[in-house]
Amino acid sequence: MPRPASDKGDLAFYVFVEDIEALDWENSSSFEQSLPAGMKAALTARRAGDHSEPTHLVWLDAIEQNHFDSLNWADEACEVNNPTQGAQRRADLLTLDPERMRTLILLVDPRAEDAELYCDLRRAAWHRIVIGDGEGTPVVIASDFEQALEGDSEVRNMLEADVCIGEPLQRLLNVFNVDFVPDLRLDEYGSPVQNRSPVPEEPPGLMDLLVRDDEGESAHDGNDHYREPPMQMVGD
């Protein structure tokens, strides 16, 4: 298991927003009982820090910024249906250090203390965040989604969050894609399909989901409480 992030002080990560879900507080007692251990730990930490009750769950894939920035192949081309480049990209991805990659779970209330920090979080988008022990929003950190849910994780605080732009974003998009898989077609949620669906140019963010809720369009997906964790980052 990767060494705890707390062993290394404040850490900067690049994170990919796998999903954003509305939390179902209509039956609060049964909802809390249904939460897995990792999410309960995050909720307990929020309450201990006098945060408001969370309204949304955010799943994040994370890679340490220092590790990613050190990749000397992150700018190399990998074109679709180029066998040579595809084979090289597969080999490169296998060199990623799993101890420098994390799964994060955030329970947030973007209308309260989290508004400035999280209003730009969007599905299928890259951000740069800083995690540490200072004042911030509790976040569950684990080696993978299963451990995050089961509580084999730690809770620290998210101190900063910014949308990735420019060169860092281009390098992230170049590394974490599936162009090395021949003839692969994905829908807008990253699932293989026979006929590819168009990917929305601007996926909904937290504030967009809140507007939908205000207008009577629930952002919840219909499940009673929470969904199974999404797929992890390519290369895990």
Side-chain angles (χ1 to χ4, degrees):
M1 180 179 176
R3 58 188 181 277
S6 56
D7 287 352
K8 296 173 282 187
D10 291 358
L11 272 178
F13 289 90
Y14 292 124
V15 298
F16 182 79
V17 182
E18 286 277 7
D19 205 359
I20 301 172
E21 304 175 34
L23 297 176
D24 181 12
W25 284 103
E26 185 174 352
N27 299 306
S28 59
S29 59
S30 61
F31 171 71
E32 287 195 43
Q33 291 175 2
S34 75
L35 292 177
M39 292 171 63
K40 286 181 179 177
L43 185 60
T44 298
R46 284 185 63 86
R47 289 170 172 169
D50 199 28
H51 295 270
S52 59
E53 293 287 63
T55 61
H56 287 76
L57 165 68
V58 184
W59 298 94
L60 301 167
D61 277 324
I63 183 169
E64 289 183 22
Q65 179 182 344
N66 288 342
H67 180 48
F68 183 83
D69 288 347
S70 70
L71 302 178
N72 56 17
W73 50 270
D75 296 309
E76 295 178 2
C78 181
E79 299 172 352
V80 177
N81 294 328
N82 184 316
T84 301
Q85 292 180 351
Q88 183 59 53
R89 178 54 52 86
R90 285 178 182 273
D92 289 336
L93 288 170
L94 291 175
T95 68
L96 292 173
D97 184 353
E99 292 196 2
R100 311 292 291 279
M101 304 172 76
R102 298 286 192 276
T103 290
L104 276 58
I105 297 177
L106 275 171
L107 298 179
V108 299
D109 176 9
R111 282 197 173 120
E113 83 285 356
D114 309 315
E116 183 176 352
L117 201 57
Y118 298 115
C119 65
D120 288 329
L121 279 178
R122 293 186 178 276
R123 276 195 198 99
W126 283 97
H127 295 71
R128 177 188 177 276
I129 67 171
V130 176
I131 290 176
D133 296 320
E135 184 176 351
T137 301
V139 55
V140 174
I141 309 169
S143 299
D144 55 43
F145 281 107
E146 183 176 347
Q147 290 186 354
L149 291 175
E150 292 179 354
D152 188 7
S153 57
E154 64 173 335
V155 179
R156 300 190 75 200
N157 289 331
M158 184 174 292
L159 312 178
E160 302 175 21
D162 298 292
V163 179
C164 281
I165 59 174
E167 183 178 352
L169 176 61
Q170 293 306 312
R171 298 181 86 239
L172 287 161
L173 295 176
N174 187 50
V175 169
F176 295 111
N177 62 60
V178 288
D179 288 348
F180 63 90
V181 181
D183 301 318
L184 181 70
R185 299 186 178 193
L186 303 175
D187 65 15
E188 61 267 37
Y189 301 104
S191 301
V193 293
Q194 291 183 346
N195 296 307
R196 184 171 184 174
S197 304
V199 178
E201 292 184 1
E202 186 72 6
L206 267 175
M207 300 310 291
D208 299 317
L209 296 177
L210 291 175
V211 170
R212 289 185 192 177
D213 289 343
D214 288 341
E215 295 176 349
E217 299 179 24
S218 175
H220 195 258
D221 70 348
N223 290 338
D224 288 339
H225 302 300
Y226 67 92
R227 289 186 291 176
E228 291 299 312
M231 294 177 62
Q232 285 193 259
M233 188 183 294
V234 173
D236 280 11

